[in-house]
């Protein structure tokens, strides 16, 4: 990957300067079951949420190379906060794919929005007047605890007897005042994300909707409105990077911490010595360092190829991007487990960074975008020239 543009380097430097303060907020965030107000305020002040907003709206219009670098850095401080932050950045990109009139209304007087974006079509939208009556409950509302808007997926324009298809899937944007946030986020990992349920029974104007298929193909209204190549990018690889960088970044930090621990830790044994002198520890560290480097390289390769191809990518290429992201997170989760096994009993105290990292990785890896079995099956089919009907890529 080439060097970041100057604005990207400056944003990354601001984020890296915040990492100690953000890490210090992680325990309180987990206690609150949402990001702390202080964490969100620091990220807003840094300009993070403006990253993918067009310059025409006061944004930075930075590309996936910066998105990847910043996501990995944030993951080192707190994977739950990084998860919220990366998705909120991506959701600004999504909002800039809606019809022009709504975009201009949304970004008048502000350069970013905080909003969850739930892709699963958990609700139904029925035609009403010049828009839709939207009803349903959406789980996994990451970002909703500090949101001013929400984005949810729903099935729309289904005819009687017609089976749902990707063509019926649309995103709907609503102000937070039009939804109910249901406090359901009692989980064993990613606790600090505050990803509560969203309940809706509201009218949504046509201009506040967009086809999910158009987004996944990189041909939504924003691709015609904004000239920058970022807005001609398929949605799913951006989603892959948003979801994977917090976990890979956290694993990168844990491997670095493991090295530091080995240099200092003494474990009583028949031949008492520091852990760093033991061949088994050296081998475990070497393996972890190689594997996290390879996981990161996989994500960098995805970011580079997406930037080169955008919406000209073939289904085979797009399928590989998703499979690569799932594989990187699978490896990161296993690295955390391996490091935990080699870190001694004291690493099992709840205040140890490994504990939150393991819990977060185990829950985050359940996201549908990380279903590695499904992704490698689809990728294999496409490599063989077979159809993969209904597959996500």
């Amino acid at each position: 990957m080439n060097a970041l543009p100057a604005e990207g380097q400056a944003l990354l430097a601001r984020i890296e300067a915040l990492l100690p303060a953000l890490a210090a907020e992680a325990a309180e965030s987990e206690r609150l079951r949402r990001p702390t107000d202080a964490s969100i305020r620091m990220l807003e002040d840094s300009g993070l949420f403006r990253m993918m907003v067009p310059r025409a709206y006061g944004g930075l219009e930075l590309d996936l190379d910066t998105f990847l670098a910043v996501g990995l850095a944030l993951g080192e401080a707190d994977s739950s906060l990084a998860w919220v932050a990366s998705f909120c950045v991506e959701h600004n990109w999504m909002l800039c794919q809606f019809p022009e009139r709504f975009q201009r209304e949304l970004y008048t007087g502000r350069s970013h929005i905080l909003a969850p974006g739930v892709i699963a079509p958990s609700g139904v939208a029925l035609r009403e007047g010049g828009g839709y009556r939207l009803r349903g409950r959406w789980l996994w509302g990451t970002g909703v605890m500090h949101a001013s808007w929400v984005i949810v997926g729903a099935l729309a324009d289904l005819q009687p007897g017609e089976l749902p298809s990707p063509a019926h899937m649309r995103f709907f944007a609503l102000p937070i005042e039009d939804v109910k946030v249901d406090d359901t986020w009692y989980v064993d990992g990613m606790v600090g994300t505050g990803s509560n349920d969203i309940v809706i029974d509201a009218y949504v104007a046509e201009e506040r909707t967009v086809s999910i298929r158009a987004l996944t193909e990189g041909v939504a209204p924003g691709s015609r409105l904004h000239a920058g190549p970022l807005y001609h990018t398929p949605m799913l690889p951006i989603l892959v990077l948003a979801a994977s960088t917090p976990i890979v970044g956290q694993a990168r930090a844990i491997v670095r911490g493991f090295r530091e621990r080995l240099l200092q830790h003494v474990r009583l044994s028949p031949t008492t010595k520091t852990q760093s002198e033991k061949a088994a520890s050296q081998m475990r560290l070497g393996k972890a360092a190689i594997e996290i480097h390879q996981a990161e390289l996989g994500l960098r390769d995805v970011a580079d190829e997406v930037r080169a191809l955008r919406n000209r990518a073939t289904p085979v290429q797009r399928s590989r991007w998703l499979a690569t992201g799932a594989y990187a997170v699978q490896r990161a989760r296993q690295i955390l487990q391996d490091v935990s096994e080699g870190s001694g009993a004291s690493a099992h105290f709840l205040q140890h960074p490994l504990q939150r990292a393991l819990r977060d990785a185990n829950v985050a890896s359940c996201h549908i975008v990380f279903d590695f079995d499904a992704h490698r099956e689809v990728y294999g089919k496409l490599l063989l020239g077979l159809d993969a009907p209904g597959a996500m890529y």
Side-chain angles (χ1 to χ4, degrees):
M1 181 177 286
N2 297 326
L4 298 181
E7 282 187 304
Q9 292 176 18
L11 176 60
L12 179 60
R14 292 195 296 274
I15 292 299
E16 288 177 336
L18 290 175
L19 295 185
L22 295 174
E25 293 288 317
E28 179 65 4
S29 175
E30 191 163 47
R31 188 189 70 80
L32 293 172
R33 297 181 299 113
R34 62 168 177 79
T36 65
D37 295 344
S39 294
I40 295 298
R41 188 164 53 249
M42 282 187 274
L43 294 179
E44 285 195 288
D45 290 345
S46 75
L48 173 75
F49 299 121
R50 299 166 51 216
M51 185 192 306
M52 288 187 170
V53 175
R55 291 189 182 90
Y57 301 149
L60 299 175
E61 202 169 319
L62 293 168
D63 213 336
L64 298 184
D65 49 353
T66 303
F67 187 50
L68 172 69
V70 169
L72 289 169
L74 283 169
E76 292 195 8
D78 176 6
S79 46
S80 283
L81 178 65
W83 182 272
V84 173
S86 292
F87 275 112
C88 283
V89 170
E90 183 212 5
H91 299 159
N92 274 276
W93 173 89
M94 288 167 56
L95 288 166
C96 293
Q97 297 289 350
F98 277 68
E100 179 179 3
R101 181 177 171 183
F102 174 53
Q103 287 187 45
R104 298 201 181 280
E105 171 195 341
L106 196 60
Y107 287 98
T108 295
R110 55 188 168 189
S111 58
H112 72 273
I113 303 295
L114 294 182
V118 186
I119 193 172
S122 302
V124 174
L126 300 176
R127 282 284 178 181
E128 182 179 301
Y132 294 87
R133 172 59 54 174
L134 179 65
R135 292 188 176 96
R137 174 184 288 268
W138 287 261
L139 284 68
W140 327 115
T142 295
V144 74
M145 300 309 292
H146 288 88
S148 56
W149 284 77
V150 302
I151 310 166
V152 296
L155 296 172
D157 300 319
L158 269 171
Q159 301 303 313
E162 188 178 13
L163 294 176
S165 74
H168 297 108
M169 294 173 62
R170 298 187 71 82
F171 274 134
F172 295 78
L174 301 89
I176 193 69
E177 295 79 14
D178 286 359
V179 314
K180 174 189 174 185
V181 179
D182 198 358
D183 185 8
T184 57
W185 195 243
Y186 293 88
V187 288
D188 63 1
M190 301 302 281
V191 181
T193 64
S195 302
N196 286 297
D197 290 7
I198 300 167
V199 182
I200 300 173
D201 182 351
Y203 173 79
V204 184
E206 175 83 34
E207 68 195 43
R208 295 183 178 182
T209 78
V210 68
S211 162
I212 292 180
R213 171 181 275 181
L215 277 165
T216 60
E217 297 290 338
V219 294
S223 68
R224 298 186 293 275
L225 178 61
H226 306 298
L230 177 64
Y231 307 102
H232 298 76
T233 306
M235 177 181 68
L236 290 179
I238 302 179
L239 170 60
V240 165
L241 294 176
S244 58
T245 51
I247 307 307
V248 174
Q250 179 67 191
R252 187 172 72 177
I254 291 295
V255 170
R256 188 168 59 244
F258 183 50
R259 174 186 176 276
E260 294 166 359
R261 177 179 175 81
L262 291 180
L263 290 170
Q264 302 168 9
H265 186 231
V266 175
R267 177 178 288 182
L268 295 178
S269 68
T271 57
T272 300
K273 58 175 78 172
T274 63
Q275 286 286 88
S276 64
E277 297 177 84
K278 297 182 177 181
S281 296
Q282 296 161 0
M283 293 166 64
R284 190 182 294 268
L285 173 62
K287 179 174 180 286
I290 290 170
E291 290 189 341
I292 194 57
H293 183 61
Q294 290 300 313
E296 183 178 331
L297 286 178
L299 297 184
R300 292 187 182 279
D301 182 62
V302 169
D304 284 347
E305 195 167 81
V306 174
R307 290 171 65 225
L309 296 173
R310 309 292 181 179
N311 56 14
R312 296 177 289 104
T314 65
V316 170
Q317 291 164 328
R318 287 159 49 192
S319 174
R320 175 163 46 78
W321 295 340
L322 269 64
T324 299
Y327 181 74
V329 168
Q330 183 187 76
R331 295 315 311 150
R333 184 178 62 171
Q334 186 58 56
I335 289 164
L336 292 170
Q337 185 62 49
D338 291 346
V339 168
S340 177
E341 291 173 0
S343 294
S346 61
H348 292 272
F349 283 105
L350 288 177
Q351 68 267 28
H352 196 286
L354 256 173
Q355 296 309 305
R356 188 182 302 111
L358 281 167
R359 294 195 303 273
D360 284 358
N362 285 335
V363 172
S365 63
C366 295
H367 193 293
I368 189 172
V369 79
F370 297 140
D371 187 342
F372 187 49
D373 288 341
H375 288 318
R376 60 183 176 175
E377 178 187 359
V378 170
Y379 183 41
K381 282 182 176 180
L382 295 176
L383 284 173
L384 293 168
L386 304 174
D387 290 332
M392 181 175 69
Y393 56 79

